[in-house]
Amino acid sequence: MSASIEEELRNAGFVLKTVHMPRRETPLVRILVRAANVTDLEIAGTVASLLGSACQDFAVDILVERNRSRHRLQEWLGTDPRFSFAATDGPDIADSVYTLVISAGTALGLHSLEAMVDSLQQTQAMVLRALVDGQAGALELWRTGTLRELRESGDPERSARTAGGERWVSGSALGLHDFRRPKPKLHLRKGAAATLDLNIVVRDLADHATRVDYEQQIRQLESRLKKSEMERRRLELGLAPNRGISRARAIARKGPAYILGRLKARAGRPGY
């Protein structure tokens, strides 16, 4: 029996996760965008970030008011079948592996979807929640099967909270931010959200004050390195400040007997 393509790739060193697989008829993530009483631009900000996501295996339901026209958005997204508009009064849970609920105006980073899925998988939580600065309400990521079961039995949020199945993480740790604000100065690595926080220094060198400060720090580091190198050479040559004088004074304080003993010991060594 021949090996599957995935097995052959794995043997060749290419290990693909679920979010890296080809798209399927049933999307990996069903995204519900809460969009009642928001502007078209806020919705477009979230959609634009999804279009730039590394994971493209998703379908999006934009939950809008029933009697409000969104013709500009509908015209813009009309050619992409992954996007649709639905009423806000509780749409049915569509088939997918995961269900993400997010507020319009929240922008996702390049690897945000991957980070959320990894975190939910590795923690085995019922629901992953995150707060985003500048946005009302929390982001929620569910396994669709779990969400459907809990909805049939009552209130999913209350059931997950009662069972201790919630996992809260920082929105910025997932690369999430208000689309009107700068992106978080974070680098998302592979792994669960608990391991995704890697702070890096981000500098806008187009800003004069930032560039001057950066150059001054570089000069200070270069100066310290130069002084360190000079001290190292002095030590190698025995020319460290007061090194010889301090040592002679320490020997003299020990008296003639100590000096005579040291001279005899050195005289008895090979080569003396």
Side-chain angles (χ1 to χ4, degrees), residues 244-266:
I245 297 175
S246 298
R247 186 175 181 184
R249 288 176 178 173
I251 293 174
R253 282 196 297 269
K254 293 183 179 181
Y258 174 81
I259 296 173
L260 183 60
R262 293 292 298 171
L263 290 173
K264 288 182 178 180
R266 296 186 70 176

Side-chain angles (χ1 to χ4, degrees), residues 195-210:
T195 64
L196 291 174
D197 291 303
L198 176 63
N199 292 319
I200 60 174
V201 178
V202 178
R203 299 182 183 276
D204 180 10
L205 296 185
D207 179 71
H208 177 71
T210 301

Side-chain angles (χ1 to χ4, degrees), residues 9-176:
L9 285 172
R10 193 177 299 111
N11 293 333
F14 292 90
V15 181
L16 297 178
K17 295 189 294 184
T18 305
V19 295
H20 302 145
M21 297 297 183
R23 298 183 196 176
R24 70 209 79 189
E25 185 176 353
T26 300
L28 175 70
V29 184
R30 172 74 60 172
I31 302 173
L32 305 179
V33 181
R34 295 185 293 242
N37 301 317
V38 300
T39 65
D40 287 353
L41 181 60
E42 288 175 295
I43 300 173
T46 297
V47 170
S49 69
L50 289 171
L51 294 175
S53 173
C55 173
Q56 290 291 307
D57 191 359
F58 57 74
V60 181
D61 289 332
I62 302 173
L63 309 181
V64 296
E65 309 91 322
R66 185 177 295 276
N67 298 321
R68 183 173 176 181
S69 174
R70 298 283 185 174
H71 65 275
R72 290 198 304 159
L73 289 169
Q74 291 171 342
E75 182 179 358
W76 181 47
L77 296 172
T79 58
D80 193 329
R82 293 176 299 171
F83 294 88
S84 61
F85 292 81
T88 58
D89 50 355
D92 295 333
I93 300 176
D95 288 337
S96 61
V97 182
Y98 301 97
T99 298
L100 173 65
V101 184
I102 191 171
S103 297
T106 300
L108 291 82
L110 179 63
H111 299 291
S112 293
L113 285 175
E114 180 178 348
M116 286 185 278
V117 169
D118 279 351
S119 182
L120 192 65
Q121 288 177 342
Q122 295 189 22
T123 60
Q124 298 183 350
M126 292 182 179
V127 55
L128 179 76
R129 298 186 187 277
L131 293 175
V132 180
D133 292 342
Q135 288 292 318
L139 170 148
E140 304 172 9
L141 179 68
W142 300 81
R143 293 181 185 274
T144 302
T146 300
L147 178 60
R148 185 177 286 111
E149 291 175 4
L150 294 178
R151 176 173 283 191
E152 291 174 355
S153 61
D155 185 346
E157 294 185 9
R158 181 177 298 177
S159 299
R161 187 172 296 117
T162 301
E166 286 182 317
R167 167 85 190 281
W168 285 88
V169 296
S170 166
S172 61
L174 296 170
L176 304 169

